[in-house]
Amino acid sequence: MKLHKNDNFSRRNFLKTSVLASGGMLIGFNFLTACKPEAKMPVDIASLNFNDFNAFIKISDEGYVTIFSPNPEIGQGVKTSMPMIIAEELDVEWKTVTVAQGILDTKNYTRQVAGGSQSIRQGWDALRQTGATAKQMLVNAAAKKWNVDATTLKASKGIITNEKGEKLGYGAVVKEAALLEVPEKAQLKETKDFTIIGQDAINVDIDKIITGEPLFGLDYKTEGMLYASVLRPPAFGQKLDTYDDAKAKAVNGVSDVLKFGDKIAVLASSTWAAMKGKKALSATWKTDSKAESTEKHDKILNKILDGKDFDVRREDGNIKKAFSTADKVIERTYNSPFLPHNCMEPMNFYADVTADKIHLVGPIQTPQWTANRVAKLLERKVDEIHLEMTRMGGGFGRRLYGDFALEAAEISNLAKKPIKVVFSREDDMTAGTYRPAIKYRIKASLKDGKVTGYHLKEAAVNGNMYGLIPNFFPAGCIPNYKVETGNYKSNITTGAWRAPYTNFLAFAEQSFFDELATELNVDAIQLRLDLLQNVKNTDDKRIEYSGQRMEDTIKLVREKSNWGKNAEGTYQGFAAYYSHNTHVAEVAEIELKDGIPVIKKVTVAVDCGVVVNPTGAKNQVEGGVIDGIGHAMYADFSFKDGKPEYKNFDKYRLIRMGETPKVEVHFVQNNLSPTGLGEPGLPPAGGAVANAINAALGKRLYNQPFVNEIKKSSILG
């Protein structure tokens, strides 16, 4: 998608595209500063008298503008970067902008979702058009006031100037502008004229975050609200048999104990009392369906890989012939465990169910879907639901599912009181929706120094891979290519985990290609570049990535990392991957200390199109890389008889501060429309580190977490 120099659109089209402009913010633009530099932003803009432009923009008589765009803010920075896009085309100074969170509004907005790293990508054109059209309406109002042609006027930094040098601030023409029709034409800026997009901007919530002002779901409270701590089945496949709540009700602060389904909610005046009351509950459980265990899953997934019950996702050429005529065939199997999400802010949600309405408040990635599910659960009309979104202290896919919101609504409906469900860390880790355990088996044929065949088989608990992944690299690069998937259905809840489907696959494939490069005696980076030549000019519409953009990204990281020129005692590993519409290449550098690999630095090259906010973009990439390294190196999770074996961080290992490497981020410079950034930095990280460890130890890693394999390595004793 390229930037448009001049976008012409009708009023109807504008209204349509405006509905698509989403991003989770409320923006106040101080237009009075254009005329009065000493003017200050008002403490409370809610009391101002607003005139409506459309569903997104309101401008007050005093010259302040509010722009509504209600995508959830999950830490991915859309609450900062999306206002920057509108402010750019509206032509105001960024320092005059304030931001707040919108609510769920299905009548005026679509895709109120935080997921898939799609907010900026899908909102880019519409947000720009929204800002440009509002600016044009203000210019048209000034033209009417001066009785001149609007094309003779210029607008910049909230000031409209005519040919005589006379000036009007936006606030001076807001009433006239509000009465005008939406213009048929609104010109967008050239990239070279951007003054806000591409400049560093601080997170708009940073002051509130560091001073502890209420922003997150855990901060929300109302008069008369009770806290709910829920006892859930301790193992997947179990149901509630009997329970005794006498001791729980005796806990100071506990007001009630309610059973709903196979769960028991303890209601109290504080989280401490509610959680203490839950621990005092006595319950027995019966096993109603199969008990799952990690050992069982391992055997079943191996059996799937050895069998023939697969769904073919893509097949090119003749894979059997490629293997039968090969000079050599290489086959490897890669394994990964279940993983919980472990957001810093545990799951929580507020619900107040009354006869008139259902008031919901909390951190949720899918507000509309959640509202629909609550309506169905309580047999109410969705129009009766008012849902407010708070800032989220992490999501990573866990807050897509909203089970905690449904619990809050059901408990409130039973209690006839406002309720806030709060998970403990143990609840969060044992009653989660996990990344599924997965095995990949990759087989390649080599002939005359070339990779001629490639066969990828996936076996996953509850399935993992869907339509797009078979069309990522190396699809189109290898003439004989096949991707198959198989799955085992489990009662353990699984779902999206940061960079779904690619978070482990990237490690497996990129490790495998490194091994192929060694077998072919070819530089690891050069092997990828050679393969990409086969897809750069493809007319295959199924291919999702760009061969040229991936090549440019790889060449940039090769240059910035000084690939192949590492200092003595430093070992490098390379990986590149495309996901969420973004191309990323990474080079990890490690050193050995007492024979133990220590990750010192990761150099990253990213092609995500136009970078709206460089500071925020770098934060996203750095966080994704460290997250990817931490989970690949250390994270392990297992089940026994359906019960999670880890409940807290005393046993579940996360990366520590001292283990985080320096991350150096470089962006490919182009004028293409923005793509995702919240997730794409994660997938290549594990592969780059694994390949660097092999360079240092001569040890190929096939299982995550790496630390388990490294400990078992005979090289380390």
Side-chain angles (χ1 to χ4, degrees), residues 349-391:
F349 222 79
Y350 169 89
D352 184 12
V353 180
T354 65
D356 298 325
K357 70 172 185 176
I358 300 172
H359 185 197
L360 304 175
V361 184
I364 187 69
Q365 292 179 246
T366 51
Q368 182 177 350
W369 184 52
T370 299
N372 289 337
R373 292 170 69 207
V374 168
K376 183 177 181 180
L377 173 70
L378 301 183
E379 298 182 340
R380 298 281 291 268
K381 295 178 180 179
V382 73
D383 291 345
E384 297 175 34
I385 295 178
H386 174 78
L387 192 152
E388 299 176 37
M389 291 166 281
T390 63
R391 190 178 181 94

Side-chain angles (χ1 to χ4, degrees), residues 208-219:
K208 291 182 178 180
I209 291 172
I210 62 177
T211 58
E213 288 189 43
L215 274 176
F216 299 92
L218 282 175
D219 298 325

Side-chain angles (χ1 to χ4, degrees), residues 305 309-317 319 323 439-443 453-459 464-476 478 480-486 501 505 509 513 542-543 577:
L305 289 177
D309 187 17
F310 284 90
D311 293 325
V312 177
R313 301 294 182 179
R314 177 171 174 143
E315 185 170 13
D316 302 339
I319 199 77
F323 289 133
K439 286 180 180 284
Y440 288 113
R441 183 167 293 168
I442 311 176
K443 186 177 181 181
Y454 189 87
H455 189 189
L456 171 66
K457 296 169 75 174
E458 176 195 83
N464 179 59
M465 189 191 294
Y466 296 103
L468 293 181
I469 310 304
N471 300 314
F472 288 4
F473 178 86
I478 301 170
N480 305 292
Y481 174 81
K482 188 175 184 178
V483 177
E484 296 182 292
T485 61
Y501 325 127
L505 175 60
E509 289 195 309
F513 275 103
R542 297 172 296 172
I543 301 295
Y577 210 74

Side-chain angles (χ1 to χ4, degrees), residues 314-364:
R314 177 171 174 143
E315 185 170 13
D316 302 339
N318 189 330
I319 199 77
K320 289 184 179 180
K321 184 177 180 181
F323 289 133
S324 66
T325 59
D327 296 331
K328 188 168 186 177
V329 174
I330 297 176
E331 183 177 276
R332 300 289 184 263
T333 301
Y334 301 84
N335 306 276
S336 72
F338 287 94
L339 287 182
H341 293 81
N342 285 319
C343 307
M344 182 176 290
E345 178 192 20
M347 300 303 107
N348 66 90
F349 222 79
Y350 169 89
D352 184 12
V353 180
T354 65
D356 298 325
K357 70 172 185 176
I358 300 172
H359 185 197
L360 304 175
V361 184
I364 187 69

Side-chain angles (χ1 to χ4, degrees), residues 325-573:
T325 59
D327 296 331
K328 188 168 186 177
V329 174
I330 297 176
E331 183 177 276
R332 300 289 184 263
T333 301
Y334 301 84
N335 306 276
S336 72
F338 287 94
L339 287 182
H341 293 81
N342 285 319
C343 307
M344 182 176 290
E345 178 192 20
M347 300 303 107
N348 66 90
F349 222 79
Y350 169 89
D352 184 12
V353 180
T354 65
D356 298 325
K357 70 172 185 176
I358 300 172
H359 185 197
L360 304 175
V361 184
I364 187 69
Q365 292 179 246
T366 51
Q368 182 177 350
W369 184 52
T370 299
N372 289 337
R373 292 170 69 207
V374 168
K376 183 177 181 180
L377 173 70
L378 301 183
E379 298 182 340
R380 298 281 291 268
K381 295 178 180 179
V382 73
D383 291 345
E384 297 175 34
I385 295 178
H386 174 78
L387 192 152
E388 299 176 37
M389 291 166 281
T390 63
R391 190 178 181 94
M392 289 174 260
F396 315 117
R398 177 63 182 92
R399 286 189 161 97
L400 289 169
Y401 299 99
D403 48 288
F404 41 90
L406 269 68
E407 286 185 347
E410 189 169 3
I411 296 168
S412 176
N413 188 52
L414 290 171
K416 307 303 179 187
K417 295 177 182 178
I419 297 295
K420 184 173 180 181
V421 166
V422 179
F423 281 41
S424 66
R425 179 57 60 191
E426 289 81 3
D427 292 334
D428 218 36
M429 202 174 289
T430 59
T433 297
Y434 307 92
R435 184 187 81 169
I438 308 167
K439 286 180 180 284
Y440 288 113
R441 183 167 293 168
I442 311 176
K443 186 177 181 181
S445 58
L446 307 179
K447 179 75 172 178
D448 300 329
K450 303 285 186 182
V451 183
T452 58
Y454 189 87
H455 189 189
L456 171 66
K457 296 169 75 174
E458 176 195 83
V461 175
N462 293 329
N464 179 59
M465 189 191 294
Y466 296 103
L468 293 181
I469 310 304
N471 300 314
F472 288 4
F473 178 86
C477 294
I478 301 170
N480 305 292
Y481 174 81
K482 188 175 184 178
V483 177
E484 296 182 292
T485 61
N487 76 86
Y488 164 70
K489 291 184 179 180
S490 169
N491 53 34
I492 295 174
T493 53
T494 60
W497 189 94
R498 191 174 187 177
Y501 325 127
T502 63
N503 49 58
F504 176 65
L505 175 60
F507 151 68
E509 289 195 309
Q510 290 299 301
S511 297
F512 188 73
F513 275 103
D514 225 57
E515 199 162 347
L516 294 182
T518 300
E519 188 67 35
L520 293 169
N521 195 27
V522 177
D523 175 76
I525 286 182
Q526 193 58 51
L527 174 63
R528 273 77 159 195
L529 293 175
D530 291 342
L531 287 169
L532 286 169
Q533 303 314 304
N534 300 325
V535 78
K536 280 170 61 175
N537 297 311
T538 184
D539 58 359
D540 187 341
K541 303 299 183 184
R542 297 172 296 172
I543 301 295
E544 289 295 316
Y545 66 100
S546 163
Q548 185 61 62
R549 295 179 74 172
M550 181 62 84
E551 179 179 328
D552 293 343
T553 307
I554 290 172
K555 287 181 176 178
L556 180 60
V557 84
R558 181 173 64 179
E559 172 196 343
K560 298 297 183 180
S561 67
N562 291 315
W563 174 256
K565 302 173 185 176
N566 45 302
E568 185 176 352
T570 300
Y571 304 89
Q572 293 179 312

Side-chain angles (χ1 to χ4, degrees), residues 510 514 524-525 528 557 561 563-564 566 570-576 585-590 599 601-603 684-696 700:
Q510 290 299 301
D514 225 57
I525 286 182
R528 273 77 159 195
V557 84
S561 67
W563 174 256
N566 45 302
T570 300
Y571 304 89
Q572 293 179 312
F574 168 80
E586 300 178 12
V587 172
E589 295 181 10
I590 70 168
I599 307 161
K601 180 181 178 182
V602 180
T603 305
V689 168
N691 291 333
I693 290 173
N694 177 70
R700 289 287 175 192

